[in-house]
């Protein structure tokens, strides 16, 4: 549905986007994920038409839209501050875009009723938006953006002003609603948990480029670069000293892995386990830290080389030796992942 071709953008002399190429499939929820300043919101605004494209092209169903005004692109928007009109009730807020389209009053009322039902706010038509909770205002903002039946929904940190527990609840509901109506959506966030919960695919951005484009499971299980692994909190990254075929030498030993010319390797924490008996791929380490996290213990261990590794230990798997104890750490073969620089 959407094709982004070699988009580059700068503010004065500062390059913000450095050659973005991207395809978004109809009915897909694509998440632009990355740290502050990586260019994700700028890319969203260029696709939306809120800023002019200086270099490159954006196609919707094969047709360039770079010269098309924002109000003619038929997109829906939802932002962090909700941007609701405080002097209007819930129904008037939802109907605002319909009035701009000169939709008849009976059709407006029917559409408002449908949207309230969709976002689970039946009976809220005459409520004052100032008296709504944060989650209810978020639902009203979503209903307003969906009421005109946009062909693309664009969401920029829409849950950023809500507390963590409410975000966790609403992100699932938001995905369900978007999928229920079969809408194409672009969702911008810096929070990987939100991205994993809502996205069909994630474009992880760094310094104006797409670092990795993948499904959430693939991004987490097989990050392709040092930045991707680090951003996701996967810290067991070791430099490659030398590589001979599939054998990679690191400061803590040699490992076999697929991939040529790796800059570093990741020992994925999900593949590290306390060993009752050492295996072919195991390390002797000393426990330096054990932190209880509720569902699991976060364990940090030190190798003789000084390298620190982190992994999780689930209490149901049995008791764990105390800090200072020497243990064998098993490494699953599939958890040795080559990384580009």
């Amino acid at each position: 549905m959407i094709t982004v071709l070699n988009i580059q953008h700068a503010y004065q002399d500062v390059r913000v986007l450095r050659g973005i190429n991207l395809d978004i499939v109809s009915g897909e929820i694509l998440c632009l994920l990355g740290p502050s300043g990586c260019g994700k919101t700028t890319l969203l605004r260029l696709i939306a038409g809120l800023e002019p494209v200086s270099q490159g092209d954006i196609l919707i169903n094969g047709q360039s839209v770079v010269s098309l005004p924002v109000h003619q692109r038929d997109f829906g928007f939802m932002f962090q501050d909700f941007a609701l009109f405080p002097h209007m009730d819930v129904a008037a807020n939802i109907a605002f875009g319909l009035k701009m389209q000169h939709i008849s009053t009976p059709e407006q009322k029917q559409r408002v009723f449908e949207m309230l039902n969709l976002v689970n706010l039946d009976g809220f038509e005459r409520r004052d938006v100032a008296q709504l909770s944060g989650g209810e205002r978020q639902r009203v903002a979503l209903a307003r953006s969906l009421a005109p039946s946009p062909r693309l929904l664009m969401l920029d940190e829409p849950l950023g002003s809500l507390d963590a527990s409410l975000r966790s609840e609403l992100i699932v509901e938001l995905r369900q609603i978007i999928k229920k109506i079969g809408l194409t959506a672009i969702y911008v966030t810096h929070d990987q948990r939100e991205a994993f919960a809502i996205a069909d695919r994630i474009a992880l951005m760094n310094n104006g480029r797409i670092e990795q484009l993948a499904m959430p499971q693939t991004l987490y299980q097989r990050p392709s670069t040092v930045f991707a692994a680090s951003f996701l909190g996967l810290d067991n990254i070791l430099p490659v000293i030398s590589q001979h075929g599939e054998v990679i030498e690191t400061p803590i030993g040699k490992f076999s892995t697929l991939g040529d010319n790796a800059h570093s390797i990741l020992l994925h924490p999900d593949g590290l386990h306390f060993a009752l008996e050492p295996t072919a791929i195991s390390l002797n380490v000393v426990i330096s830290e054990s932190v209880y996290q509720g569902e699991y213990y976060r364990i940090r261990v030190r190798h003789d080389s000084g390298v620190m590794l982190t992994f999780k230990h689930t209490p149901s798997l049995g008791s764990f030796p105390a800090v200072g104890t020497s243990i064998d750490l098993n490494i699953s073969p599939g958890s040795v992942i080559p990384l580009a620089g």
Side-chain angles (χ1 to χ4, degrees):
M1 177 182 175
I2 301 168
T3 301
V4 177
L5 294 173
N6 195 32
I7 289 293
Q8 304 197 41
H9 197 72
Y11 294 115
Q12 296 181 342
D13 295 329
V14 179
R15 293 183 66 192
V16 181
L17 298 176
R18 303 166 183 266
I20 300 292
N21 291 282
L22 185 63
D23 288 312
I24 304 173
V25 180
S26 180
E28 176 181 39
I29 302 175
L30 179 83
C31 183
L32 302 178
L33 173 66
S36 297
C38 70
K40 56 188 185 294
T41 293
T42 299
L43 178 57
L44 183 82
R45 292 177 63 82
L46 291 176
I47 295 173
L50 297 172
E51 294 189 30
V53 172
S54 55
Q55 186 173 341
D57 203 355
I58 297 171
L59 310 178
I60 306 294
N61 295 324
Q63 300 295 317
S64 176
V65 295
V66 292
S67 60
L68 196 66
V70 60
H71 65 276
Q72 295 182 11
R73 298 195 185 193
D74 192 20
F75 295 167
F77 301 94
M78 188 173 171
F79 302 104
Q80 180 174 330
D81 60 3
F82 308 139
L84 298 177
F85 299 111
H87 62 285
M88 296 181 182
D89 61 19
V90 168
N93 266 279
I94 296 174
F96 180 80
L98 301 173
K99 288 183 178 181
M100 296 298 100
Q101 293 181 338
H102 306 292
I103 304 297
S104 67
T105 299
E107 192 174 346
Q108 286 182 36
K109 291 183 178 179
Q110 178 60 29
R111 189 65 177 161
V112 168
F113 173 80
E114 293 172 355
M115 291 300 98
L116 287 172
N117 178 261
L118 180 66
V119 300
N120 298 316
L121 288 179
D122 296 282
F124 277 64
E125 293 90 334
R126 299 305 163 206
R127 295 282 186 93
D128 185 339
V129 295
Q131 297 176 348
L132 301 179
S133 68
E136 290 166 346
R137 289 197 296 272
Q138 190 262 1
R139 290 183 173 91
V140 173
L142 176 61
R144 185 179 65 180
S145 66
L146 295 178
S149 300
R151 57 179 173 177
L152 175 68
L153 180 62
M154 314 192 80
L155 308 101
D156 190 2
E157 303 274 7
L159 308 181
S161 63
L162 304 178
D163 63 67
S165 61
L166 187 55
R167 284 202 306 270
S168 298
E169 174 187 341
L170 291 179
I171 192 69
V172 176
E173 184 177 342
L174 189 56
R175 176 178 169 84
Q176 291 172 343
I177 291 171
I178 294 172
K179 285 299 180 181
K180 182 176 181 179
I181 59 180
L183 191 59
T184 308
I186 302 175
Y187 189 102
V188 167
T189 184
H190 66 277
D191 188 325
Q192 70 183 65
R193 292 168 298 182
E194 282 187 28
F196 288 161
I198 197 170
D200 295 312
R201 286 191 302 159
I202 296 173
L204 178 60
M205 295 187 64
N206 176 35
N207 194 28
R209 296 185 175 91
I210 294 178
E211 189 86 7
Q212 186 171 355
L213 177 63
M215 293 186 298
Q217 300 91 331
T218 303
L219 181 62
Y220 175 74
Q221 294 169 0
R222 304 288 302 183
S224 61
T225 68
V226 170
F227 171 82
S230 298
F231 183 82
L232 297 175
L234 306 174
D235 300 326
N236 301 330
I237 299 171
L238 305 174
V240 170
I241 298 172
S242 64
Q243 181 171 3
H244 304 283
E246 296 180 0
V247 177
I248 288 177
E249 184 178 356
T250 75
I252 64 173
K254 295 181 179 179
F255 299 93
S256 295
T257 186
L258 299 177
D260 296 328
N261 301 318
H263 176 275
S264 306
I265 64 166
L266 168 69
L267 300 183
H268 201 293
D270 290 356
L272 307 185
H273 304 284
F274 167 51
L276 295 177
E277 295 182 3
T279 65
I281 309 180
S282 63
L283 297 172
N284 185 257
V285 293
V286 175
I287 301 173
S288 63
E289 184 179 275
S290 177
V291 180
Y292 182 61
Q293 303 277 280
E295 296 179 358
Y296 60 88
Y297 286 89
R298 181 176 179 271
I299 309 295
R300 282 176 62 80
V301 296
R302 180 185 295 274
H303 184 259
D304 285 344
S305 64
V307 169
M308 302 291 292
L309 299 174
T310 303
F311 65 102
K312 298 175 183 178
H313 176 74
T314 305
S316 62
L317 297 178
S319 60
F320 199 79
V323 170
T325 304
S326 175
I327 65 166
D328 288 314
L329 186 67
N330 280 355
I331 302 172
S332 301
S335 65
V336 182
I337 301 169
L339 301 174

